Amino acid sequence: MVDAPFLLATAELSAAGLAALPFILHRSRISKWLQKDALQPSGDGESIGLTLVLPVWNEEKLIIQKLDNLASQDFPRENLELIIIDSASNDSTMTLAEEWLKKNPKEFPSHQLIRMEQRLGKTEAVKRAFNAAAEDKPLIAMTDADAMVPDTGALKRLASWFEDATIGAVGGTPNRQTESDKAHVKLEQGYRNLFTQQRIAESQADSTPFLEGSLVAFRKKFIDTSLIDCSSNADDSQLATMARLNGGRSIQDPELLFEEGTPSSNAGRRQRKVRRAQGLCRHLWRNRNSWFAKKHGQFGKILGTQGIMHIFAPWLLLTAIMLGFSRWFMISTGEGSLIEGWGLALFLFELLILLSLFSIMLNIQLPGLGLMQTYLDGMFSLFLAHILILRGKSLHIWEQPERE
């Protein structure tokens, strides 16, 4: 006689194992990659021309602070161009920026103010700014209005990496140290710390497909703006992957720090995570022909593993959960027991998974379950992103984030 609960349990564990396997394997590789010598820039960055792009939208509360922060950078002004591109703000962002530039003419003698007539999303703004950059500047960087850079030598360090001709993209590392006791802040910090460690390790192995637009720079010869998908977001990762596929390395610098705010509510945190997840899923799917491609070396494996984790793992995990509920229902109708023999261990594990999942939804941090919560938190955001994609709803036009 066929043992239906056993078959369901086998299928459930198989689906759950397949969902977790790429994450486990990648974590194992990351541990090895992190043992390599840390990457370091090879020059001082003073002689390379740099265009710095600042995309804004309704940033009147931050624009002066951001410009003051950029002005503190010890970077030769003759080699620096600033482009502020505004996505049709309906506040005083651009008026304040224009007044600041007039009051401080020596800070950015070479600058452009670009006003878009309508909001088309950050990616479109970045593309237009990149196309407007001075031709004599071989590097182009971008930074977000809410990302403050504490080190006055940050732009020099960013540019210094490109004295190595193999470098195509370099990103900074978020410094999200906070004393907030809010559960959603701690959950996000745990997720981001794990994500940062992953990107640094991928950089040491070859390249990372993910960089953050809060502080990032590219070698222009590796960037073809005609290939940027403006109907999606994740513009920073689009450009980082493009730089690597066109022959350069894409790396994250663990010593190049920037500070940014954390959403003040769990709803704001989830909105930002789902938006980011949607962009990354689209980005990875567009580049699926490069997954595990031998011609791209270790990066092909990294890109493929990330593709599986972002696109297939959430559905495998959902399948495992549904199979588990099916087994519970079957047993409740009279076939077998949940708490006898091997079923007890599986039942306790299922309860642990559900407890972690519900705690994330209810914004509760559970001691001792940090890694599991981090994994499930990411899977939950990815699944929500997939649902929006299937519904044809795009989040590439961003909303003003809540900030802690």
Side-chain angles (χ1 to χ4, degrees), residues 108-277:
F108 301 103
S110 177
H111 65 264
Q112 297 184 55
L113 298 178
I114 302 175
R115 293 175 171 85
M116 295 174 64
E117 295 182 356
Q118 60 179 317
R119 289 185 66 203
L120 298 173
K122 182 184 175 184
T123 306
E124 176 65 33
V126 167
K127 179 179 179 179
R128 293 190 184 191
F130 275 36
N131 287 335
E135 294 183 1
D136 64 337
K137 303 291 190 296
L139 305 182
I140 190 160
M142 60 182 174
T143 183
D144 289 338
D146 65 343
M148 302 301 162
V149 185
D151 182 3
T152 59
L155 285 185
K156 277 187 180 179
R157 182 175 176 89
L158 187 63
S160 68
W161 284 98
F162 293 91
E163 295 195 22
D164 179 345
T166 67
I167 298 296
V170 178
T173 295
N175 181 20
R176 296 186 176 92
Q177 298 300 321
T178 177
E179 296 180 359
S180 175
D181 290 328
K182 293 182 179 180
H184 81 273
V185 174
K186 293 182 177 179
L187 282 170
E188 184 64 13
Q189 185 175 8
Y191 172 82
R192 286 295 177 178
N193 288 343
L194 190 66
F195 202 51
T196 293
Q197 185 184 57
Q198 171 182 288
R199 286 183 289 187
I200 292 171
E202 291 170 344
S203 300
Q204 294 189 180
D206 183 315
S207 296
T208 179
F210 304 146
L211 292 176
E212 293 194 39
S214 299
L215 183 63
V216 63
F218 308 93
R219 195 184 300 275
K220 283 165 64 174
K221 76 172 187 177
F222 291 129
I223 301 302
D224 182 353
T225 56
S226 68
L227 299 179
I228 298 175
D229 182 358
C230 294
S231 66
S232 182
N233 50 316
D235 46 275
D236 39 22
S237 294
Q238 286 192 54
L239 293 165
T241 300
M242 185 187 300
R244 175 59 183 85
L245 296 180
N246 286 337
R249 290 186 66 184
S250 170
I251 64 169
Q252 179 166 318
D253 181 354
E255 297 182 32
L256 183 63
L257 302 178
F258 62 85
E259 299 172 350
E260 64 178 6
T262 302
S264 59
S265 69
N266 190 46
R269 179 186 81 98
R270 183 63 63 194
Q271 181 187 44
R272 186 169 72 174
K273 285 178 69 67
V274 172
R275 177 180 178 273
R276 177 70 172 175

Side-chain angles (χ1 to χ4, degrees), residues 187 190-191 194 356 365-376:
L187 282 170
Y191 172 82
L194 190 66
S356 298
Q365 188 178 33
L366 299 176
L369 295 178
L371 185 60
M372 182 177 291
Q373 283 190 297
T374 295
Y375 173 74
L376 293 175

Side-chain angles (χ1 to χ4, degrees), residues 7-203:
L7 291 177
L8 284 173
T10 301
E12 175 190 354
L13 290 173
S14 297
L18 288 173
L21 184 61
F23 179 80
I24 294 171
L25 291 177
H26 203 49
R27 290 301 305 168
S28 176
R29 291 189 296 189
I30 285 171
S31 297
K32 295 179 181 179
W33 294 339
L34 288 174
Q35 295 176 12
K36 295 185 177 183
D37 293 337
L39 302 174
Q40 289 295 331
S42 57
D44 57 22
E46 291 191 352
S47 60
I48 304 179
L50 173 69
T51 294
L52 181 60
V53 174
L54 175 60
V56 296
W57 176 68
N58 285 359
E59 299 289 359
E60 63 180 6
K61 294 180 180 179
L62 287 173
I63 188 63
I64 298 301
Q65 181 186 0
K66 179 64 178 182
L67 289 172
D68 286 342
N69 180 247
L70 292 178
S72 70
Q73 285 296 306
D74 179 23
F75 193 88
R77 293 308 191 255
E78 64 272 17
N79 294 332
L80 181 63
E81 175 190 31
L82 175 67
I83 296 179
I84 302 177
I85 183 163
D86 176 65
S87 293
S89 291
N90 52 26
D91 67 359
S92 60
T93 297
M94 290 302 276
T95 300
L96 291 171
E98 194 168 17
E99 291 175 352
W100 188 96
L101 289 167
K102 287 180 180 179
K103 291 178 181 178
N104 303 275
K106 295 182 179 180
E107 295 299 344
F108 301 103
S110 177
H111 65 264
Q112 297 184 55
L113 298 178
I114 302 175
R115 293 175 171 85
M116 295 174 64
E117 295 182 356
Q118 60 179 317
R119 289 185 66 203
L120 298 173
K122 182 184 175 184
T123 306
E124 176 65 33
V126 167
K127 179 179 179 179
R128 293 190 184 191
F130 275 36
N131 287 335
E135 294 183 1
D136 64 337
K137 303 291 190 296
L139 305 182
I140 190 160
M142 60 182 174
T143 183
D144 289 338
D146 65 343
M148 302 301 162
V149 185
D151 182 3
T152 59
L155 285 185
K156 277 187 180 179
R157 182 175 176 89
L158 187 63
S160 68
W161 284 98
F162 293 91
E163 295 195 22
D164 179 345
T166 67
I167 298 296
V170 178
T173 295
N175 181 20
R176 296 186 176 92
Q177 298 300 321
T178 177
E179 296 180 359
S180 175
D181 290 328
K182 293 182 179 180
H184 81 273
V185 174
K186 293 182 177 179
L187 282 170
E188 184 64 13
Q189 185 175 8
Y191 172 82
R192 286 295 177 178
N193 288 343
L194 190 66
F195 202 51
T196 293
Q197 185 184 57
Q198 171 182 288
R199 286 183 289 187
I200 292 171
E202 291 170 344
S203 300

